[in-house]
Amino acid sequence: MGFLLDANLIPIDMRFFPGNQSEKPVMREVIDNLKKRNNITGRTIRIADKGLNCANNIRHALECGDGYIMTKAIKTLSQTEKEWILLNRDYVPVTDADGSILYWIKECVDDFPYTILDNNGRGATVMLREKRVVTYNESLAKKRRAEIRKQANKALGHSLSQVKISEFGDYAKYVVFASTDKQGQATGGKVAVRLNQDVTDLDSLLAGYNLFVTSEVDMSAAEIHATYRNLW
């Protein structure tokens, strides 16, 4: 569902996304139709979660004179960007009225690469000026790590005679299916389920972090975070 909101976040119009196709390309059509139907000619800010964040949607926003605030999957970042997120330096605490820390936040402005696809699927890399804001929530991290352990244990608890590989669902990424002997060496024999330690460790390391990317480089980190949290 896509909403068109005014500056006070009051809905002006809405449109449902079709449920039988990717929402990423549909987002551009939805926004164009909402703006046309409501005679919106001024600049708008497109707010969306990482499921709608792709280079072509960002390009469309900029070509239309609009801005964007979106979340981005941290696991898809370069190693340098991941290291910046995990580096403790420059984080500042955000507290409640009693002084208790709610979460930590930091920001940077830089030029970041995006690969734009043409109609034939050919990609071209462009550099876009963005502000990036990352938050870390310790409570969220603990909850997420507990979920990861639960999912991994659930996957390991299955045997291939109990369930098809395709039925492992979301927690399939935490295991690998391989032919092994008793020492765990691949033999081409019986298929066993083993923990995918690399994926489990990475997800646990990144638990509790959220990344926001935006064209609005003059907005403060707090404003960007608050604006996104008002996403309907």
Side-chain angles (χ1 to χ4, degrees):
M1 181 185 300
F3 281 98
L4 181 64
L5 311 178
D6 66 13
N8 296 313
L9 303 181
I10 304 300
I12 299 172
D13 202 347
M14 60 172 283
R15 183 174 173 186
F16 287 98
F17 286 73
N20 59 350
Q21 56 185 291
S22 171
E23 293 181 346
K24 287 182 178 179
V26 175
M27 178 184 177
R28 301 189 286 274
E29 178 188 347
V30 167
I31 291 174
D32 287 342
N33 288 340
L34 285 174
K35 292 176 71 173
K36 182 178 180 180
R37 191 163 67 190
N38 293 277
N39 297 314
I40 304 297
T41 58
R43 188 171 185 266
T44 62
I45 305 297
R46 306 179 184 190
I47 305 174
D49 63 22
K50 58 189 175 184
L52 293 171
N53 183 347
C54 68
N56 281 37
N57 280 346
I58 287 175
R59 179 188 65 174
H60 183 260
L62 298 177
E63 287 179 345
C64 292
D66 292 341
Y68 59 89
I69 298 174
M70 299 184 183
T71 52
K72 188 175 181 69
I74 296 176
K75 287 185 290 186
T76 65
L77 299 177
S78 68
Q79 185 60 33
T80 299
E81 291 174 290
K82 289 193 186 86
E83 289 174 357
W84 173 75
I85 287 172
L86 295 171
L87 190 66
N88 288 332
R89 189 176 62 196
D90 298 328
Y91 276 100
V92 295
V94 176
T95 60
D96 61 17
D98 298 323
S100 299
I101 295 176
L102 299 173
Y103 56 90
W104 297 80
I105 192 168
K106 72 174 176 179
E107 62 185 282
C108 75
V109 176
D110 207 337
D111 296 322
F112 295 93
Y114 280 90
T115 300
I116 306 296
L117 299 179
D118 63 20
N119 293 332
N120 296 315
R122 292 189 296 266
T125 300
V126 298
M127 302 298 292
L128 298 179
R129 192 80 170 167
E130 281 187 335
K131 173 170 281 191
R132 296 200 167 183
V133 176
V134 60
T135 62
Y136 176 74
N137 185 311
E138 181 63 29
S139 297
L140 180 62
K142 290 179 179 178
K143 180 180 179 181
R144 178 59 183 146
R145 289 177 188 132
E147 291 173 351
I148 291 169
R149 289 193 296 270
K150 181 178 179 180
Q151 288 181 323
N153 290 334
K154 185 175 182 180
L156 288 172
H158 285 306
S159 69
L160 295 184
S161 62
Q162 293 174 319
V163 65
K164 296 178 181 178
I165 293 175
S166 61
E167 294 174 350
F168 273 68
D170 292 340
Y171 51 84
K173 64 180 178 178
Y174 296 121
V175 294
V176 292
F177 307 95
S179 298
T180 61
D181 58 21
K182 292 182 179 180
Q183 287 72 44
Q185 300 298 316
T187 63
K190 184 178 178 181
V191 176
V193 183
R194 299 201 311 270
L195 183 68
N196 189 330
Q197 195 66 56
D198 290 341
V199 172
T200 304
D201 289 347
L202 179 60
D203 278 12
S204 297
L205 183 65
L206 298 178
Y209 291 94
N210 282 304
L211 177 64
F212 307 85
V213 301
T214 180
S215 58
E216 307 310 290
V217 296
D218 293 326
M219 287 181 69
S220 70
E223 288 176 313
I224 292 165
H225 184 255
T227 300
Y228 180 84
R229 290 193 63 182
N230 284 319
L231 179 67
W232 284 66

